[in-house]
Amino acid sequence: MQEKILSLLNSILGGSHNTTKDNHAFKCPICNHRKRKLEIDVSSGKWHCWVCNRGGKKFFSLFKWIKARPAKIEILEAILKTKRRAYKSEEEYYGNQIQIISSGEVL
């Protein structure tokens, strides 16, 4: 899932480089600084520019700042919806396993 989000961000913001496990640095389209100072956490959606000090907790706020095309926003929504659906299915799976174990049924 993170690969799809990173690919989408690369298509909008240009190339990036990995700074830590889930963080990637891009050139900030808000302040147009020459270096990659916009850091985005691909797993959580948090973003922050170390030059203009703008940031947010979700990808959508970044897309709003840069006035991303509606098609790109729709792609992001589809990716995040798939991510939530997968998480819900996994949660339901583990929740059912816990109920079986707590009821004393033999697996």
Side-chain angles (χ1 to χ4, degrees):
M1 211 57 59
Q2 292 179 1
E3 298 85 25
K4 290 181 181 180
I5 292 173
L6 184 59
S7 175
L8 177 64
L9 290 170
N10 280 325
S11 73
I12 295 172
L13 301 172
S16 69
H17 65 82
N18 196 347
T19 56
T20 61
K21 183 182 176 188
D22 292 330
N23 288 3
H24 293 268
F26 296 87
K27 289 186 178 180
C28 181
I30 300 167
C31 67
N32 294 318
H33 192 268
R34 62 185 172 81
K35 293 185 177 179
R36 291 183 172 107
K37 297 292 183 175
L38 175 65
E39 196 160 334
I40 301 175
D41 184 342
V42 180
S43 64
S44 70
K46 293 180 182 177
W47 59 278
H48 181 261
C49 177
W50 296 100
V51 176
C52 65
N53 205 29
R54 295 220 170 85
K57 295 182 180 179
K58 300 201 182 267
F59 293 115
F60 290 107
S61 61
L62 173 63
F63 281 39
K64 179 182 173 184
W65 269 105
I66 63 174
K67 297 181 174 109
R69 293 192 327 245
K72 298 289 185 178
I73 295 172
E74 289 175 10
I75 292 169
L76 177 64
E77 288 173 343
I79 293 169
L80 295 177
K81 185 184 283 187
T82 304
K83 183 178 176 183
R84 283 192 298 267
R85 196 173 343 160
Y87 176 75
K88 183 178 179 187
S89 300
E90 186 176 310
E91 184 178 318
E92 288 173 355
Y93 171 78
Y94 287 114
N96 290 339
Q97 295 300 317
I98 291 169
Q99 287 175 355
I100 291 171
I101 293 170
S102 63
S103 68
E105 292 181 29
V106 179
L107 296 176

